[in-house]
């Protein structure tokens, strides 16, 4: 394979598309599929056959606006249809080249216009199982350029220059990590893609793998070339069957096109990827636990150092990156590190995909440049909280993060500013809460998550989360005291500072951040025996007597 | 020997000490008579850094490091006790006491228990957390030994000694979080007729509490001898 051959494949696809007057893209992401968008596609195909029109009906990955699903996108005039059902099939086909179906029009310009799609550029645009469609949108140019034109060190230089940082939560500079693995002395090295994604409310990585799997595969291959690895693993949780099946097909397609396997692009570079299924433990997303899990051991974290870059899978130097981190790589190689570094803030470059959920109108997947004010994401792109409700907080970083209150909505999204606000970027979950959410209850929810997901290896996390959960439960049910609150704060400090891995170290964050911004709600529960949001079931007996 | 040229010097609690580069902070501290509390660590076994009692401070670093696994580095300044560390250590012990049923007065290990000894040493006088009183099983199926999960602190010494020294790998951990439990074979009774247990008793000797004990022996009659390991390893290396 060389650039010319890629070009040929691309023109093949373009020529084929020219045979059609229209493209009808039907979203087959998990969200729309759950509303039977596969039946809609079949109905559209049947209606099309009857109509005699020339249209290409394409299965695509997630279009992002899951709240309005099932979605259908009609090209060439970029007409987005929402809440499509099987019953609409005839009307949709009849509307091709005629008047659009008024009741299905989705007019959310601002939702899309404010976004900047790098990682999601192909999502909802191509058939995720057709490698040629990926190639037709410049796919694999990055890999071919790397293999034929660049030394591994040049690749790492581009990544370093781009300023890309890990999208799995920690934000570690990707170029630096690649450089470490590249420098490690070993015959055998591994590349691992972390697709465990266990945070509640997060579905960025799942969607990426479902919608544009070749992008992740290409990113991994480029990484493998850069660090000197010939074997890769994609670790996906078994609860993501669609991602797994699309990946399986995509790996086969990449091998068929000679983009995985031996002597890729006629060079001495060999690389292949295997899928490993996780059993859905949150802690298995932690890199050392994930590695243990691939090795067939119990998925528990171990003390670092040594870091995986020095001693990872089977004791060999191992590069482990998040799905979205890898998904950025092909574009960086194609457009250059400097191009990427021009997006974002001084220290947080590029874009970030967020899974916008909770009490918000436009639930779905969004990709925005780093540095965008939170307000623009929540109120602009997200459309704000539903009618009649008031915004209270936005939770980022999942169980490791915190809640950001209304008065801080103007901060920009970047690794630094979110940490400063007592939360963190995390992997990209963004849960919006309104006045019907009780912040103590929210803290309890996340603590319960950490408690049940703790691997149990170290004492502060295993036993500390249980006690914190008990204290939060007491406060929620109105039996908590001020002593309980002090004890809770004290425990937060020990669990944060003494736990072995990131799960325990960050488990207190939801408590600490809600205490920082919503202390009054804690006091209401403890002193006034009242839950202003009306969520907690407090026994009012005490109030009546007084 | 090249290692000799690589001797590191560091400061522990204000004292200048020297170390081989492969030594942990705990090794060097103990060599120099500086006591750091430990529970999961045992000389002769691999380290897991799980109990977190051995956390120490290093000058210039905000993060606390487990002394049992952290390697020495040239010029390091280590503090093994501070108000902050002492607070965490006491809280960790409190969490352990509240987690299962550690009622010393009726425990076979009373007077021979590392958990009890540490609590005394660190001046733990009361537990602020509600006792969870889980109802856990006692496995008395083995002809010579008993496993009382109520006293287990999940240090995994039994798991490691059995796998690493005896080579039988009878023990393991099942479950997650508070549901973790040590198990024999694939969660079969310890005394099962097909058990892979060799009855060597090493796990009983290394267990820091009364979770594993020899039947018919109580309290002072049941001194445990976890210190056999370094000798055993030394003898094996010498062979
Ligand atoms: C409890 C826990 C869960 C984690 N889960 C994930 C995950 O689901 N996906 C992920 O990419 N990283 C996860 N991480 C972070 C990984 O340990 C690791 O830092 C990351 O995969 C590195 O990739 P990056 O540099 O590209 O972000 C988790 C960390 C912790 C402590
Ligand atoms: S912090 Fe929690 S999840 Fe991490 S090793 Fe300790 S017990 Fe396991
Ligand atoms: S049985 Fe004893 S040695 Fe084994 S984990 Fe429990 S306390 Fe530790
Ligand atoms: S002795 Fe170091 S963590 Fe337990």
């Amino acid at each position: 394979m060389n650039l010319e051959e890629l070009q040929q494949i691309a023109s093949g696809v373009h020529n084929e598309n020219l045979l059609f007057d229209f493209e009808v893209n039907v979203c087959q992401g998990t969200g729309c599929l759950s509303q039977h968008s596969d039946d809609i596609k079949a109905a559209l195909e049947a209606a099309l056959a009857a109509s005699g029109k020339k249209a290409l009906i394409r299965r695509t990955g997630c279009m992002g606006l899951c709240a309005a699903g099932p979605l259908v996108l009609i090209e060439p005039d970029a007409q987005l249809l929402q809440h499509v059902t099987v019953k609409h099939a005839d009307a949709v086909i009849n509307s091709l080249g005629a008047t659009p179906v008024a009741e299905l029009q989705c007019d959310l310009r601002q939702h899309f216009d404010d976004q900047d799609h790098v990682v999601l550029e192909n999502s909802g645009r191509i058939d995720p199982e057709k490698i040629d469609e990926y190639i037709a949108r410049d796919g694999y140019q990055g890999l071919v350029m790397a293999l034929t034109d660049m030394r591994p060190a040049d690749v790492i230089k581009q990544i370093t220059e781009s300023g890309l940082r890990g999208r799995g939560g920690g934000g570690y500079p990707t170029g630096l990590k690649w450089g470490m693995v590249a420098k490690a002395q070993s015959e055998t090295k591994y590349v691992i893609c972390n697709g465990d994604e266990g945070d509640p409310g997060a579905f960025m990585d799942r969607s990426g793998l479902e919608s544009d799997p070749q992008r992740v595969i290409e990113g991994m291959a480029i990484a493998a070339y850069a660090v000197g690895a010939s074997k890769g693993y994609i670790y996906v949780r078994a609860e993501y069957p669609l991602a797994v099946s699309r990946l399986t097909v995509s790996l086969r397609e990449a091998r068929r096109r000679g983009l995985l396997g031996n002597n890729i692009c006629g060079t001495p570079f060999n690389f292949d990827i295997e899928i490993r299924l996780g059993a859905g433990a949150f802690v298995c997303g932690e890199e050392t636990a994930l590695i243990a899990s691939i090795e067939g051991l119990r998925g528990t974290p171990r003390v670092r150092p040594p870091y995986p870059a020095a001693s990872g899978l089977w004791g060999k130097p191992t590069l482990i990156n998040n799905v979205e981190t890898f998904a950025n790589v092909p574009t960086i190689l194609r457009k250059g590190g400097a191009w990427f570094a021009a997006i974002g803030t001084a220290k947080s470059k590029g874009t970030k995909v967020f899974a916008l959920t909770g009490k918000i109108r436009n639930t779905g997947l969004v990709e925005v440049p780093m540095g965008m004010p939170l307000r623009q994401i929540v109120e602009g792109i997200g459309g704000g909280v539903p009618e009649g409700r008031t915004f209270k907080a936005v939770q980022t970083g999942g169980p490791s993060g915190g809640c950001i209150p209304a008065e801080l909505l103007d901060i920009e999204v970047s690794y630094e500013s979110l940490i400063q606000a007592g939360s963190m970027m995390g992997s990209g979950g963004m849960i919006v809460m309104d006045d019907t959410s009780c912040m103590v209850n929210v803290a309890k929810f996340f603590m319960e998550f950490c408690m049940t997901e703790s691997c149990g290896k170290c004492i502060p996390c295993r036993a500390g989360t249980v006690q914190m959960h008990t204290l939060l439960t007491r406060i929620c049910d109105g039996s908590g005291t001020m002593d309980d609150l002090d004890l809770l704060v004290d425990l937060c400090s020990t669990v944060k500072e003494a736990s072995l891995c990131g799960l325990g170290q960050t488990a207190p964050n939801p408590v600490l951040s809600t205490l920082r911004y919503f202390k009054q709600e804690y006091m209401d529960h403890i002193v006034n025996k009242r839950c202003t949001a009306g969520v907690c079931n407090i026994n009012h007996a005490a109030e009546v007597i007084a | 020997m090249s290692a000799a040229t690589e001797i590191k010097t560091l400061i522990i609690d204000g004292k200048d000490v020297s170390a081989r580069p492969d030594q942990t902070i705990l090794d060097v501290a103990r060599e120099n008579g500086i006591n750091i509390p430990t529970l999961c660590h045992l000389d002769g076994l691999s380290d897991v850094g799980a109990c977190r009692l051995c956390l120490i401070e290093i000058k210039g670093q905000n993060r606390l490091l487990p002394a049992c696994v952290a390697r020495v580095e040239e010029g390091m300044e280590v503090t093994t006790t501070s108000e902050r560390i002492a607070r965490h250590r006491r809280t960790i012990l409190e969490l352990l006491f509240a987690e299962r049923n550690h009622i010393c007065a009726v425990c076979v290990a009373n007077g021979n228990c590392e958990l009890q000894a540490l609590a005394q040493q660190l001046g733990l006088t009361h537990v602020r957390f509600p006792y969870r009183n889980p109802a856990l099983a006692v496995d008395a199926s083995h002809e010579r030994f008993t496993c009382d999960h109520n006293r287990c602190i999940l240090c995994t010494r039994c798991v490691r000694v059995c796998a690493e020294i005896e080579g039988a790998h009878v023990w393991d951990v099942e479950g997650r979080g508070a549901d973790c439990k040590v198990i024999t074979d694939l969660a079969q009774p310890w005394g099962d007729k097909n058990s892979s247990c060799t009855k060597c008793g090493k796990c009983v000797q290394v267990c820091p509490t009364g979770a594993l004990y020899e039947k018919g022996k109580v309290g002072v009659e049941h001194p445990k001898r976890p210190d056999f390991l370094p000798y055993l390893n030394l003898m094996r290396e010498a062979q």
Side-chain angles (χ1 to χ4, degrees):
Chain A
M1 185 71 70
N2 53 38
L3 285 177
E4 226 160 83
E5 288 170 84
L6 281 181
Q7 211 56 57
Q8 276 167 15
I9 296 173
S11 11
V13 173
H14 293 308
N15 289 340
E16 215 171 292
N17 290 350
L18 286 179
L19 301 175
F20 301 102
D21 300 327
F22 306 96
E23 286 180 16
V24 181
N25 297 301
V26 189
C27 178
Q28 311 266 286
T30 293
C32 289
L33 264 183
S34 70
Q35 301 185 64
H36 311 291
S37 63
D38 46 348
D39 293 342
I40 298 169
K41 179 167 175 275
L44 286 167
E45 278 161 354
L48 180 72
S51 76
K53 292 190 180 172
K54 281 194 281 184
L56 171 69
I57 297 189
R58 178 191 283 129
R59 152 189 58 190
T60 72
C62 180
M63 295 182 181
L65 195 56
C66 306
L71 294 167
V72 170
L73 176 72
I74 299 176
E75 295 285 10
D77 44 357
Q79 228 192 93
L80 186 64
L81 308 182
Q82 61 182 358
H83 302 306
V84 182
T85 67
V86 172
K87 277 182 289 186
H88 294 117
D90 286 324
V92 170
I93 295 296
N94 289 335
S95 78
L96 296 178
T99 333
V101 191
E103 57 165 323
L104 297 178
Q105 293 304 307
C106 174
D107 194 21
L108 282 169
R109 279 293 124 221
Q110 197 187 2
H111 175 80
F112 293 103
D113 290 350
D114 283 2
Q115 297 191 40
D116 187 354
H117 284 187
V118 175
V119 169
L120 299 181
E121 66 177 338
N122 297 332
S123 288
R125 301 264 161 188
I126 61 171
D127 183 331
E129 294 191 3
K130 294 198 174 142
I131 189 170
D132 292 358
E133 293 201 357
Y134 176 67
I135 293 174
R137 290 178 66 94
D138 301 333
Y140 282 106
Q141 281 183 18
L143 177 65
V144 172
M145 276 162 52
L147 292 184
T148 52
D149 265 2
M150 299 165 85
R151 291 168 305 168
D154 301 329
V155 175
I156 295 177
K157 188 153 170 280
Q158 287 300 318
I159 299 296
T160 308
E161 260 181 41
S162 76
L164 176 64
R165 293 170 62 178
R167 300 295 195 240
Y172 193 81
T174 306
L176 197 58
K177 199 190 266 188
W178 289 24
M180 275 156 49
V181 182
K183 288 203 181 89
Q185 296 291 332
S186 174
E187 286 271 307
T188 314
K189 296 179 190 178
Y190 297 101
V191 169
I192 298 177
C193 172
N194 187 341
D196 188 60
E197 196 171 55
D199 326 23
F203 51 88
M204 305 75 53
D205 294 345
R206 185 198 73 208
S207 188
L209 292 171
E210 286 172 5
S211 307
D212 200 4
Q214 294 294 350
R215 170 179 292 273
V216 180
I217 296 171
E218 184 187 353
M220 287 179 72
I222 293 170
Y225 173 68
V227 303
S230 56
K231 174 97 206 193
Y233 291 90
I234 301 184
Y235 190 90
V236 202
R237 49 180 50 221
E239 289 105 316
Y240 285 178
L242 186 62
V244 173
S245 82
R246 288 202 177 144
L247 266 177
T248 310
V249 174
S250 301
L251 289 173
R252 202 162 57 219
E253 288 288 280
R255 284 181 205 118
R256 180 177 66 83
R257 280 289 183 203
L259 293 161
L260 284 180
N262 289 339
N263 303 110
I264 301 173
C265 298
T267 68
F269 176 60
N270 305 331
F271 182 62
D272 212 331
I273 298 175
E274 245 181 75
I275 301 174
R276 284 296 159 105
L277 298 187
F282 175 59
V283 74
C284 283
E286 195 281 338
E287 54 190 26
T288 59
L290 187 149
I291 286 170
S293 168
I294 293 185
E295 288 172 351
L297 303 171
R298 191 175 148 79
T300 52
R302 62 158 175 78
V303 177
R304 299 173 306 172
Y307 287 89
S311 174
L313 191 57
W314 292 298
K316 304 293 182 202
T318 302
L319 175 73
I320 174 160
N321 275 132
N322 167 261
V323 170
E324 192 182 329
T325 311
F326 281 125
N328 273 299
V329 168
T331 320
I332 292 175
L333 274 237
R334 204 169 69 231
K335 298 192 177 174
W339 165 82
F340 190 85
I343 312 171
T345 69
K347 285 184 171 165
S348 301
K349 301 296 187 189
T351 59
K352 179 77 193 84
V353 180
F354 290 101
L356 205 51
T357 56
K359 306 291 173 52
I360 185 124
R361 283 208 189 89
N362 307 332
T363 302
L365 211 60
V366 304
E367 181 174 5
V368 298
M370 295 273 194
M372 180 179 276
L374 262 179
R375 184 182 302 283
Q376 197 178 347
I377 302 178
V378 173
E379 294 176 0
I381 297 173
V385 295
E387 195 71 39
R389 304 255 62 111
T390 47
F391 171 90
K392 188 184 264 185
V394 52
Q395 209 280 346
T396 71
S400 315
C403 297
I404 297 167
E407 59 268 27
L408 289 185
L409 256 190
D410 288 313
I411 64 167
E412 56 182 31
V413 286
S414 70
Y415 292 99
E416 289 74 26
S417 64
L418 288 174
I419 285 179
Q420 214 187 345
S423 185
M424 62 184 263
M425 179 83 78
S427 51
M430 207 177 255
I431 307 172
V432 178
M433 298 164 188
D434 65 14
D435 52 340
T436 60
S437 300
C438 163
M439 301 316 276
V440 188
N441 192 61
V442 165
K444 188 181 101 178
F445 167 83
F446 283 111
M447 192 54 70
E448 180 166 356
F449 180 83
C450 290
M451 173 179 84
T452 44
E453 293 296 329
S454 162
C455 81
K457 180 170 178 170
C458 72
I459 303 165
C461 171
R462 180 185 74 229
T465 52
V466 171
Q467 293 290 355
M468 287 196 283
H469 182 257
T470 308
L471 292 167
L472 286 164
T473 306
R474 275 198 205 165
I475 296 175
C476 281
D477 71 16
S479 59
T481 62
M482 289 307 287
D483 284 346
D484 286 341
L485 193 60
D486 290 344
L487 200 51
L488 181 64
V489 173
D490 205 54
L491 253 182
C492 283
S493 147
T494 296
V495 175
K496 199 177 170 79
E497 296 199 342
S499 290
L500 191 159
C501 87
L503 193 155
Q505 287 159 9
T506 59
N509 285 355
V511 180
L512 291 171
S513 84
T514 47
L515 264 174
R516 177 164 159 191
Y517 299 118
F518 302 96
K519 179 125 191 221
Q520 188 52 45
E521 294 198 25
Y522 282 82
M523 301 307 276
D524 278 341
H525 287 75
I526 296 170
V527 182
N528 306 325
K529 308 290 172 203
R530 216 159 57 91
C531 173
T532 41
V535 173
C536 300
N537 202 356
I538 297 188
N539 188 342
H540 287 272
E543 224 174 52
V544 177
I545 296 165
Chain B
M1 212 167 79
S2 70
T5 59
E6 273 190 63
I7 294 300
K8 312 252 178 191
T9 56
L10 57 152
I11 300 173
I12 305 184
D13 290 348
K15 188 171 173 182
D16 287 305
V17 298
S18 63
R20 290 192 317 274
D22 62 345
Q23 282 188 297
T24 63
I25 294 171
L26 180 67
D27 286 338
V28 183
R30 290 201 169 157
E31 258 175 31
N32 288 278
I34 297 166
N35 176 43
I36 300 176
T38 58
L39 261 182
C40 63
H41 168 84
L42 190 63
D43 281 344
L45 296 182
S46 66
D47 275 301
V48 285
C51 75
R52 317 303 285 174
L53 279 169
C54 69
L55 289 179
I56 45 99
E57 278 174 20
I58 291 178
K59 192 171 175 187
Q61 269 193 43
N62 191 35
R63 251 181 69 198
L64 303 174
L65 292 186
C68 65
V69 277
R71 306 267 155 200
V72 293
E73 272 168 39
E74 182 62 39
M76 233 178 196
E77 282 182 48
V78 180
T79 307
T80 69
T81 24
S82 68
E83 197 281 318
R84 173 186 176 207
I85 297 176
R87 189 162 50 84
H88 291 330
R89 285 183 185 148
R90 274 198 305 273
T91 302
I92 290 171
L93 286 183
E94 282 181 76
L95 286 170
L96 275 183
F97 276 101
E99 186 176 39
R100 294 194 176 176
N101 305 309
H102 297 283
I103 305 156
C104 302
V106 292
C107 177
V108 289
N110 193 6
N112 274 310
C113 171
E114 293 184 39
L115 178 63
Q116 190 183 37
L118 270 178
Q120 281 163 0
Q121 188 191 318
L122 298 181
L124 193 70
T125 49
H126 69 289
V127 172
R128 293 168 297 165
F129 307 112
Y131 286 88
R132 307 204 359 102
N133 303 318
L136 297 176
V138 177
D139 180 354
S141 61
H142 197 282
E143 61 183 86
R144 285 177 54 206
F145 314 123
T146 305
C147 172
D148 182 352
H149 293 287
N150 293 290
R151 321 278 197 222
C152 174
I153 57 169
L154 296 166
C155 69
T156 70
R157 282 187 189 180
C158 54
V159 178
R160 286 173 282 150
V161 80
C162 188
E164 295 168 12
I165 309 294
E166 179 61 6
H169 205 143
V170 174
W171 293 96
D172 223 315
V173 180
E174 73 165 14
R176 271 212 293 254
D179 295 331
C180 277
K181 211 177 109 185
V182 287
I183 52 169
T184 40
D185 291 317
L186 294 169
Q188 298 305 303
W190 195 358
D192 191 274
K193 66 178 190 321
N194 294 320
S195 169
S196 53
C197 173
T198 63
K199 306 186 178 78
C200 75
K202 288 190 178 66
C203 53
V204 176
Q205 294 302 327
V206 300
C207 177
T209 68
L212 303 184
Y213 60 91
E214 212 166 314
K215 285 184 172 169
K217 290 196 180 167
V218 183
V220 283
E221 301 161 34
H222 201 319
K224 295 196 172 181
R225 307 297 303 270
D227 45 355
F228 74 92
L229 281 174
Y231 297 108
L232 192 68
N233 282 342
L234 204 66
M235 299 313 282
R236 284 186 182 177
E237 272 164 32
Q239 273 179 8

